[in-house]
Amino acid sequence: MAIQPNQKDSNVSNPIKRIRWATQRVTGANDQKNKRQSIIQRFHSRKSKEARQSAGSLPAIHAQQGSEDTTDGAGDQEDSKRTIFFNTPLPEDAKDEDGHPKAQYARNKIRTAKYTPLSFIPKNLWFQFHNIANVYFLFVIVLAFFSIFGASNPGLGSVPLIVILFVTAVKDAFEDWRRTMLDNELNNSPVHRLVKWTNVNSSGDTVGLWRRIKKATTRTIVSTYRFMKSKASKKGREKARTEKTYAQRALDEPRQSLATMRSRNSMMSSRTSFHSLKDGPVEDGIQMTPVPSPQPGEQGALNHNTLSPGERPNTAFSYEEDHSILETASAAPNNRPAASGQAAPKFYGSLIDPSKAPVGRASFRKDYWKNVRVGDFVRIFNEDPVPADVIILNTSDPDGACYVETKNLDGETNLKVRQALHSGRGIKHAKDCEQTEFVIESEPPHANLYQYSGVARWTQKSASDPTSPGNPMAEPISINNVLLRGCSLRNTEWILGVVVFTGQETKIMLNSGMTPSKRSRIARELNWDVIYNFVILFFMCLVTGIINGVIWSQGNNSLDYFEFGSIGGNPPVDGIITFVAAIILFQNLVPISLYISLEIIRTLQAFFIYSDTFMYYEKVDYPCTPKSWNISDDLGQIEYIFSDKTGTLTQNVMEFKKCSINGIPYGEAYTEAQAGMQRRQGIDVEAEGEKVHKQIAEARVKMLADLRRIHPNPYLHDEELTFVAPDFVNDLQGQAGDEQKAANEQFMLALALCHTVITERLPGNPPKIEFKAQSPDEAALVATARDCGFTVMGRSNEGIILNIMGQEKEFQVLNTLEFNSSRKRMSAILRMPDGKLMLFCKGADSVIYSRLRKGEQQALRKDTAEHLEMFAREGLRTLCIAQKELNEEEYRLWNKEHDLAAAAIVDREDKLETVSDAIERDLTLLGGTAIEDRLQDGVPDTIALLADAGIKLWVLTGDKVETAINIGFSCNLLNNEMDLIVFKMEDDTIPAAEAELDKHLASFGISGSDEELKIARKNHEPPAPTHAIVIDGDALKIVLDESLRQKFLLLCKQCKSVLCCRVSPAQKAAVVQMVKDGLDVMTLSIGDGANDVAMIQEADVGVGIAGEEGRQAVMSSDYAIAQFRFLQRLVLVHGRWSYRRLAETIANFFYKNIVWTFALFWYQIYNNFDCTYLFDYTYVLLVNLAFTSLAPIFMGVLDQDVNDKVSLAVPQLYRRGIERKEWSQKKFWLYMGDGIYQSAICFFMPYLLFKPASFVTESGLGINDTQRVGVYTACATIVVVNVYILMNTYRWDWLMLLLVAFSILLIWFWTGVYTAVPSSDQFYKAAPQVYGQLSFWVLSLLTVSICLLPRFTVKAIQKIYFPLDVDIVREQIRQGKFKYLDKYEAYVPPNKVPSASSSDVSQPVKGAPGTQTPLADDERPIYPPSVAPTGTTHNPRSQNGSDGTDYTGHKASLEAPRASFDRPRPSYDRIRGSMDRVRPSYEASNDFTSAALLTRVESSHSDVPRVSRQPHGQSQLR
């Protein structure tokens, strides 16, 4: 197949037809069925099967439909299918009695806001009264309106509740207003929709009376808001007259041409179609009316908004240059002769009915998103977001490709390819849409972003004989043909499609709100404390009611002489009335302001976390972002952290370092894991690293010179070369023989062909090619092939174009079988330029080895396995590369089955995987690759710091065992003093696993009993750093069984570190749940990918890493950070602060309420419990609202025991949070008891003062009445409460002192102002009368002193004789022992081990800014020699069964190199030497990734049925 001369000018590669499998949320058949049923019940009010019947006008289509359903076995799901008709009348049974469609689809208008202007007040009140405290106070207010209960001012009594409701409503309104504005902006966004044609799938949008009222209300409120805003200034008024909303401007202004829009450089050049030139008339251009085309002056500018005959739009994908007229993708393929050795191109048919004359009225016009309906034709332009889930019919690219960014869906920023339907390639204009006649059968809406099954059916009629009945045709529709709402079109001028799902039925909306709501531990325990207060209140009221009733029944009491009879008329009724009156009197015992105060505190804490510049990562412009504001205190109680490795501990920036080709290792690197391994041997890694970096830098220079001598590759850039291997270049020239030269070329060819990468050419001198891949590993492989002279230039309609050492060749890509988590491999089937059919496959070593041709390449398998194992020990990620030559007949039969599987509507992914498995067998091994994923900055320090704080870190990763272990050593999770327990079983059975567990548990002297579990739940001490567990996914699946889970948990509890390798997302979540529920501890999960979402949602706190290549985990997290090292500040600083602050705030809230309420209660003793108020009623109302609210709130926001630097310098302070000592039921009752004591002092001190005599004013007026004595009591109580809170505050700065003083002065100020008004009745002039008495001031001073003396005494004794850690540290701060921290901007632990990354080959190794310089050699700690008892040598404590004396049976192979090893290979020899000295105990485990076992693996598929659904090669590997 010839290459067009202008093909090399391609800037963005074309895609190929391929099938994408779901990579997440793999569910069983039953689960999927249930999910579909629940969605249908949620979104469809009628049975959808009535709307799925066939139209009588298309008998052929529906006949085929029935046979297809029978073939697919979809009878059980027939009812749930959705059928959409295009230019086809609805059948009668799909209509209701009025002739409207029975199927009702969701509107495309989205409303994420909770409220509307009409519903806000009732709905917000409804939500607020879900709070039991609000219901209680409403009940009290209602009771107060009945004068029988003695409330003096019911209206005034409702003020506190009204204030609380109002403040909360304002906060809710503000949050919802922002959501509403975003909703309106989105709903009113412009889209080009086909109008003036009939969409039979939906009837006219009828607006009912209620919707009219809502719309009118909204318009009125918005207009009023704008009017008030415009009145603010003259400028505002002028702006209001001229300014339009974004949506209004979008409907009025012409759309910018591509030349005037900010876009990629790749959009500005044209490409030539892969098709040949053809004779005949050229198709009409795209009818852009009324959308303007590129502006005049551009090449191919369009005049009068239309295209003249013979022209095509000048786009990046128009494939024209100068005035050449080229063939388009919709041309009949039969006119084009097949290339030599190739089958004729397949005829896909067309959705356009040539016998149907277009009406000519339809056109694409701008409309709002909210008006888009199911069945609409829409045109979407470059950079535009997608308004609904759209099936692509055609694109500006003749190959039918378009590129989308799915960042808003799954967080991935790399571009993805989507394909138009082959049958829709001829649809370009509005008139073409009128001529179509087809039906789309779609699956129901569901939330899986990576799966869609549908089929388009139509009757294909001949253009030469339009009257013929035609042939029924169908084309399958997959997720590869769908643009989802939330995506954005990129690098594509336009696409034309039809809408299949709208509004709440789109996948992005079905996925929204799926994050489970979380409540903090303190919030859960707080409910019990509120209940305890209700119980206390009940008994107080009960006592009051009983005593008052008894006194009425006795007679001859004082009340018989002063009361004119009882209200109830008899003692029992009097007691009941008094009980209710006591509820009103003691209402402040229930803290109404506590909940709103906690919301304010948590909101401000979240703001401070967000504003912390030391957790801001400038590289990606991302601060620490709290997404759940109500669990900040949980951050201060974390005991277990579960972390992913790739992208979380590492940077997820992949660099190709090494490879093994035909048994020869290539590549020079010095990785962090290798440095960690040498550090275990006592080697000076700094000196060693400097020496190795110098060698690598020299090798890099030599390799670059050799590569350019072979071929002056214009796409080779020195700074981008990561694969440093001069010997590879020599072998590529044939120095090691023709066999090795051919093997190297074939290996690089496989890397350049087996991928799904999109190429983008950037202009420059020299030019630059970038690769956009769905995984950074794949981009690294293709980039290395480019650097070695095998450059992917782009894709044509049917193939991929390579520049091989200066010569361009095209390889026809026939099928691409993509990677997913269950297959663990991907394959590409290609036709080579010589006509051969080749399959290239890359994947995990265990998967590829199990698929190799049986009995062949034994020596090569052994050597490659050894190399891969060494690569893994260096912390590199490994893959195997293999190939297979196919014959024509074999491929023809397989491709037929593949097409049938691809056309299936039900279980399409399962069928495709089964078919793909059939051809990926009997492979020939080419070699393996090794890619480095470097550790993030500060990871080892952060892990060490968290360990010092008592936090246990578990790593849950999908990597293999060797890689995880070496990364563990490099990041301080493991050290050479630990014994590694590699969990393995002889067979995968529960009894074998239990025996293994019992053996390891016995070494710790435990058996895994329930009693031991109870003890473990109470023990929060970190285990001794003597053991670590390593377990893979297969073993983990067994030990997570209900019968073994407890034993495994207790074993892990004894180990310092736990590494779970090769685990699935579900297993990650299961491990988190096991620890969280089994040990009753607080857990935190941190990850960066979609595979981490399950464990992030399962943990008490989920943290997402906002990486450079995806933010899937961020969307489901509670906190989002950009780097793992920020976790230390988030947890050890903000988490500890938040927990301690909230714990102290809540305790003080309950304390202040008990003091106030019990002061009233003591007064009842002396008035026969008749519920008389001691205080003026305004005091009762304002005590929680004003007098005592500021101090505890600001304590919860600003209090600090130590600053952030000391918190990091002394991480052990965090352990009080792990042990939950800051907040407990003991603390709650101690504060309650202290409050009762102080309330007694506050009341009885004035009582004892006035009992023997009274005081009089200058005018002789006595002040011993109730309200004036109440001033004595109330003022002293408020002073006591505020000073008590100040005593419990660690940080006495000017603001805290000011707030306490203000709260104290406020009651004196209020008393003076309020009593100066005559309307205060009996309280009139009380302030000057009371404040003028010396006794008032003396009594207040005595009361405060006596109340606080016990608390002060206890605190003094505790701090002097029983100091807490924080007390000692605070004293040391006063002594200046932490002065050294002042020189750090934000404290970074000193003695940080410098990174030994192999990427820094040209730079000296440097420590992080702010760290101390490395220690001199004579000051360096002495590392034990390799012969010391460690986890790598014999140790009597070791339970891993290794004596450390030998390798796993293949030592000889390492010491007897192949003949081609005659030249020096520094990196290989260095690591081989390390392997001889260091024999990790896990080598004896015969793990399935070890070289010893891989060499014995034969193909497991000769005896495996083709219908098997299990991942291949696993059962044979143990």
Side-chain angles (χ1 to χ4, degrees), residues 1255-1444:
F1255 297 90
V1256 296
T1257 62
E1258 294 178 354
S1259 61
L1261 183 65
I1263 57 172
N1264 60 349
D1265 61 289
T1266 303
Q1267 291 187 326
R1268 281 155 182 80
V1269 174
V1271 174
Y1272 276 79
T1273 305
C1275 290
T1277 303
I1278 297 302
V1279 174
V1280 166
V1281 166
N1282 282 285
V1283 175
Y1284 184 86
I1285 293 174
L1286 183 64
M1287 286 178 58
N1288 293 327
T1289 303
Y1290 279 104
R1291 181 171 174 171
W1292 286 19
D1293 54 13
W1294 65 269
L1295 181 59
M1296 193 65 192
L1297 292 173
L1298 178 65
L1299 291 171
V1300 170
F1302 175 79
S1303 300
I1304 293 173
L1305 294 174
L1306 186 60
I1307 187 172
W1308 294 338
F1309 173 78
W1310 170 255
T1311 305
V1313 172
Y1314 180 61
T1315 59
V1317 180
S1319 59
S1320 57
D1321 298 331
Q1322 297 180 11
F1323 207 31
Y1324 184 58
K1325 297 292 186 181
Q1329 294 166 5
V1330 174
Y1331 295 165
Q1333 301 299 317
L1334 179 62
S1335 60
F1336 170 78
W1337 302 104
V1338 174
L1339 186 75
S1340 296
L1341 179 60
L1342 286 174
T1343 302
V1344 172
S1345 301
I1346 297 174
C1347 283
L1348 301 180
L1349 184 60
R1351 178 71 174 181
F1352 179 83
T1353 303
V1354 170
K1355 287 179 75 73
I1357 294 174
Q1358 178 264 313
K1359 291 183 181 298
I1360 294 172
Y1361 298 103
F1362 309 98
L1364 302 176
D1365 291 342
V1366 70
D1367 299 325
I1368 298 173
V1369 171
R1370 283 168 60 85
E1371 188 173 341
Q1372 291 176 339
I1373 294 173
R1374 302 279 296 187
Q1375 296 171 352
K1377 293 186 178 180
F1378 290 92
K1379 284 282 188 182
Y1380 72 93
L1381 296 177
D1382 295 341
K1383 63 182 178 181
Y1384 298 106
E1385 187 178 16
Y1387 177 71
V1388 178
N1391 296 329
K1392 176 179 183 294
V1393 178
S1395 170
S1397 170
S1398 59
S1399 297
D1400 305 325
V1401 292
S1402 59
Q1403 301 175 359
V1405 180
K1406 298 180 181 179
T1411 61
Q1412 294 183 1
T1413 56
L1415 297 174
D1417 290 339
D1418 56 345
E1419 298 177 358
R1420 189 178 309 281
I1422 299 174
Y1423 294 102
S1426 58
V1427 297
T1430 67
T1432 62
T1433 59
H1434 178 67
N1435 190 315
R1437 299 192 313 272
S1438 175
Q1439 302 301 317
N1440 48 40
S1442 171
D1443 59 1

Side-chain angles (χ1 to χ4, degrees), residues 466-482:
T467 60
S468 62
N471 299 318
M473 295 193 70
E475 180 174 355
I477 306 170
S478 70
I479 193 65
N480 197 41
N481 309 114
V482 179

Side-chain angles (χ1 to χ4, degrees), residues 1064-1110:
S1064 67
Q1067 286 178 319
K1068 290 183 179 182
V1071 170
V1072 174
Q1073 184 187 32
M1074 174 189 72
V1075 175
K1076 182 178 72 171
D1077 298 339
L1079 296 178
D1080 188 29
V1081 294
M1082 300 296 291
T1083 58
L1084 180 148
S1085 293
I1086 180 169
D1088 74 313
N1091 60 331
D1092 303 317
V1093 169
M1095 74 170 182
I1096 283 175
Q1097 293 183 346
E1098 181 62 41
D1100 294 291
V1101 179
V1103 178
I1105 297 286
E1108 299 180 46
E1109 290 297 329

Side-chain angles (χ1 to χ4, degrees), residues 664 863 1456-1463 1465:
I664 306 296
D863 292 341
R1458 293 163 59 90
S1460 57
F1461 279 17
D1462 51 353
R1463 55 186 176 279
R1465 302 176 186 276

Side-chain angles (χ1 to χ4, degrees), residues 87 194 197 364 377 393 427-437 496:
N87 296 319
L194 189 69
W197 79 289
F364 285 99
F377 287 87
L393 297 181
I427 306 174
K428 292 184 173 62
H429 322 295
K431 62 182 180 63
D432 295 332
C433 298
E434 290 184 303
Q435 281 188 280
T436 59
E437 188 170 318
L496 190 149

Side-chain angles (χ1 to χ4, degrees), residues 3-46:
I3 303 173
Q4 293 298 318
N6 293 319
Q7 184 68 45
K8 63 183 179 180
D9 291 332
S10 166
N11 276 15
V12 179
S13 65
N14 296 327
I16 57 169
K17 178 188 176 185
R18 64 180 188 273
I19 301 299
R20 178 184 176 90
W21 286 300
T23 58
Q24 298 173 20
R25 299 191 181 98
V26 180
T27 58
N30 293 335
D31 294 337
Q32 186 68 18
K33 181 178 178 181
N34 294 336
K35 180 187 292 185
R36 292 182 176 181
Q37 288 176 349
S38 64
I39 293 174
I40 290 300
Q41 292 168 1
R42 177 179 175 186
F43 291 112
H44 294 276
S45 57
R46 306 182 185 209

Side-chain angles (χ1 to χ4, degrees), residues 112-114 172 175-184:
T112 60
K114 288 183 181 179
D172 293 343
E175 293 176 354
D176 210 63
W177 175 261
R178 294 173 59 192
R179 284 193 291 262
T180 301
M181 292 298 99
L182 293 174
D183 289 345
N184 290 339

